[in-house]
Amino acid sequence: TLNLRYQNAARCYVYLADVSKLDNKADGEMTWEEAFRTSRWFTRGWTLQELIAPRLVDFFSLEGERLGSKLLLESEIQEITGIAKNALRGDALSNFGIKERRSWAERRNTGIEEDEVYC
């Protein structure tokens, strides 16, 4: 089961330290949308439950500017993570096969074995 602290949360705030909203395209830097797609946050095992469990998730840039909600960025998140949109929308995890759910975790890295199991 997902950690109840996330499942019962009214809203989850995600700070993406590696995503800048500043317009650096002229300097050859990525746009925030490109940086969002490659953010380390999407590869960390322990953030999986932060993404799936709460109904409302807001993403913020390095500068603290709101990038959008899980709902607004749903298509991008689905492409990045492979997580079905219905799972992102809060459908019961029992509606998804074990193989599919494991694939969401396999795309993520953890530092210790316990975190991998928890993920």
Side-chain angles (χ1 to χ4, degrees):
T1 60
L2 291 171
N3 188 317
L4 289 178
R5 119 178 104 197
Y6 296 112
Q7 194 171 27
N8 293 331
R11 185 177 299 266
C12 184
Y13 298 97
V14 176
Y15 170 72
L16 302 174
D18 57 351
V19 177
S20 177
K21 187 105 186 240
L22 296 177
D23 185 12
N24 295 325
K25 194 64 174 168
D27 298 332
E29 304 257 339
M30 290 188 276
T31 64
W32 78 260
E33 294 91 347
E34 292 167 330
F36 181 81
R37 290 180 177 279
T38 60
S39 176
R40 291 183 309 268
W41 190 86
F42 291 108
T43 66
R44 295 182 178 143
W46 52 271
T47 60
L48 181 58
Q49 65 182 343
E50 294 175 2
L51 180 60
I52 295 175
R55 188 163 295 282
L56 301 173
V57 179
D58 287 312
F59 293 89
F60 290 85
S61 71
L62 171 67
E63 299 82 20
E65 291 190 43
R66 187 173 182 272
L67 301 172
S69 67
K70 177 169 68 167
L71 181 61
L72 179 68
L73 299 166
E74 179 181 70
S75 292
E76 291 84 353
I77 294 168
Q78 191 277 324
E79 288 176 26
I80 296 164
T81 64
I83 299 171
K85 288 182 181 180
N86 287 346
L88 294 171
R89 293 176 187 160
D91 278 10
L93 292 180
S94 59
N95 292 337
F96 305 92
I98 292 172
K99 186 176 181 180
E100 181 177 10
R101 287 183 280 158
R102 286 187 59 91
S103 74
W104 305 338
E106 288 171 358
R107 297 173 183 229
R108 293 173 176 263
N109 302 310
T110 57
I112 55 177
E113 188 176 340
E114 291 81 10
D115 287 345
E116 185 176 341
V117 172
Y118 190 63
C119 173

